[in-house]
Amino acid sequence: MKNVISFLLAVYLTSTSVMGQSKAKSNIDCNTIFVCIKQEDYTTLFKNSFVKDTLFFCKENTTKTTTDAYSGKYFMGEFATLEFLQPSKNNKFGDHLNDIGIEFKSRKIGLLDSIKNINAKVEIEKVYLESDAKKHLWYDALKLKENKTNLEFSILEYSAEELKMLGFTDDEIKKTISPTDFNTIAYGNHKYPRKFKSIKSVTLEVNEIGLNYLKQLASNFDFSFNKNYIQCIDFRIYYKVKKKNDKTVLKTIEINLTESLPKKNINITSNIKLLVSNKTAQIEFL
């Protein structure tokens, strides 16, 4: 009888964990891809007129938290952002050449705690913005505890304080907030002025350590792990195994556009190329 009870308990805990992970998967969206690139590429990112005036809303910004200060250049879209950093001596993640981040955003406050409560392999980092000697909780970030790669996957969740500053009411904060609802509340009915809509996929080259990290992501966040890609709702991570690589390499970022555009082939920098075709565009890192 004891063994039967133990078995039933194990089944219950496993099913609870799976249901919790599935609920999480349906309440997150790919929000940001960031990568640390060479200084010469960073300098010339905004030079092309089509890139900055048609495709992306471009902005350079400096952010100061209680643990870090960094500057980045941003390709801002209707529902997602591409963030470019340059090497820095701060020695934080994102400061080293080829550091890569994939960030999802939670649609509902409390989601990260619900994941952490059923998964001992993840942890939550609290990030505070600092300005004029004042600070407030900006967001929580859920990550795997163990990571020996230059790729970091995280799920971000804005704090109630941050959402109130963006114009959300107490009742709205309690609800599930889709990307469309978020934009409507935070930015009003202003139409997005460029063509970058959302992030469709990335392509990575990984060694054995990097491949193991991808498998851990799929396992812990209930993503579908396949021979050449990982699927999370409408976002896909393609990967190619390169055993001789010393780190993970970002090869492409594929984005969705708000409307169909004529084919274009643009050298954004000497090491970054842009290919536009119909309702998608691809950024290639050479």
Side-chain angles (χ1 to χ4, degrees):
M1 175 63 96
K2 193 176 192 179
N3 288 338
V4 171
I5 293 174
S6 298
F7 172 75
L8 291 174
L9 179 60
V11 170
Y12 169 76
L13 291 175
T14 301
S15 63
T16 301
S17 175
V18 169
M19 285 189 294
Q21 290 174 332
S22 297
K23 180 182 177 183
K25 188 173 69 171
S26 65
N27 279 290
I28 59 176
D29 303 282
C30 185
N31 186 69
T32 302
I33 305 293
F34 71 78
V35 59
C36 184
I37 60 177
K38 294 178 180 179
Q39 184 178 17
E40 55 265 34
D41 293 322
Y42 182 90
T43 302
T44 57
L45 271 177
F46 295 166
K47 296 292 185 181
N48 184 273
S49 59
F50 177 80
V51 167
K52 67 183 181 68
D53 297 329
T54 300
L55 204 59
F56 302 108
F57 183 80
C58 296
K59 182 179 181 181
E60 186 170 16
N61 190 57
T62 298
T63 302
K64 185 177 182 183
T65 70
T66 53
T67 58
D68 196 10
Y70 58 92
S71 296
K73 286 187 174 180
Y74 300 83
F75 289 169
M76 303 174 71
E78 186 175 11
F79 299 118
T81 298
L82 305 181
E83 178 179 4
F84 299 90
L85 308 167
Q86 59 182 326
S88 165
K89 295 180 180 179
N90 290 344
N91 205 31
K92 300 282 188 178
F93 192 87
D95 292 328
H96 313 103
L97 185 64
N98 294 322
D99 278 356
I100 308 158
I102 300 176
E103 297 178 343
F104 276 61
K105 187 171 72 173
S106 164
R107 291 187 175 200
K108 186 174 177 61
I109 283 184
L111 180 67
L112 302 195
D113 286 331
S114 71
I115 299 174
K116 185 175 180 294
N117 289 340
I118 60 172
N119 191 341
K121 295 183 179 180
V122 300
E123 60 186 0
I124 293 177
E125 175 189 0
K126 292 187 177 294
V127 179
Y128 293 84
L129 275 180
E130 189 172 49
S131 177
D132 299 326
K134 296 180 181 180
K135 71 174 185 178
H136 76 272
L137 180 60
W138 186 10
Y139 62 81
D140 289 350
L142 183 88
K143 308 172 184 179
L144 289 179
K145 289 180 180 178
E146 299 293 330
N147 182 11
K148 298 179 180 180
T149 76
N150 61 303
L151 168 66
E152 183 175 80
F153 175 89
S154 59
I155 304 175
L156 309 188
E157 186 175 280
Y158 282 138
S159 70
E161 185 177 4
E162 177 70 15
L163 290 174
K164 285 182 179 179
M165 294 174 67
L166 290 172
F168 287 75
T169 66
D170 289 336
D171 287 340
E172 289 169 337
I173 288 172
K174 296 175 184 177
K175 297 177 181 178
T176 299
I177 307 168
S178 71
T180 299
D181 292 339
F182 184 95
N183 283 358
T184 299
I185 296 169
Y187 310 120
N189 294 317
H190 301 291
K191 184 179 178 181
Y192 175 66
R194 301 290 190 270
K195 306 303 180 186
F196 169 30
K197 184 176 183 179
S198 60
I199 303 170
K200 185 175 183 180
S201 72
V202 295
T203 302
L204 306 172
E205 288 183 350
V206 297
N207 55 23
E208 291 295 339
I209 296 174
L211 179 61
N212 183 61
Y213 181 69
L214 293 182
K215 290 179 179 178
Q216 290 297 312
L217 288 182
S219 174
N220 283 279
F221 296 104
D222 193 34
F223 298 161
S224 174
F225 187 86
N226 301 277
K227 185 178 180 181
N228 298 310
Y229 66 91
I230 298 173
Q231 188 73 39
C232 178
I233 312 177
D234 54 358
F235 174 74
R236 182 172 288 189
I237 302 173
Y238 293 98
Y239 65 89
K240 299 176 182 178
V241 178
K242 300 284 186 178
K243 293 183 179 181
K244 294 184 179 180
N245 282 8
D246 61 349
K247 60 176 60 178
T248 296
V249 178
L250 177 63
K251 299 301 293 182
T252 69
I253 302 173
E254 185 182 16
I255 63 173
N256 296 306
L257 306 178
T258 59
E259 62 183 76
S260 185
L261 296 176
K263 288 187 177 181
K264 283 184 179 293
N265 187 330
I266 298 170
N267 292 320
I268 299 178
T269 76
S270 58
N271 296 298
I272 303 174
K273 179 185 284 189
L274 174 69
L275 305 174
V276 177
S277 180
N278 299 319
K279 294 198 72 173
T280 63
Q282 184 165 279
I283 297 173
E284 294 183 352
F285 297 86
L286 307 177

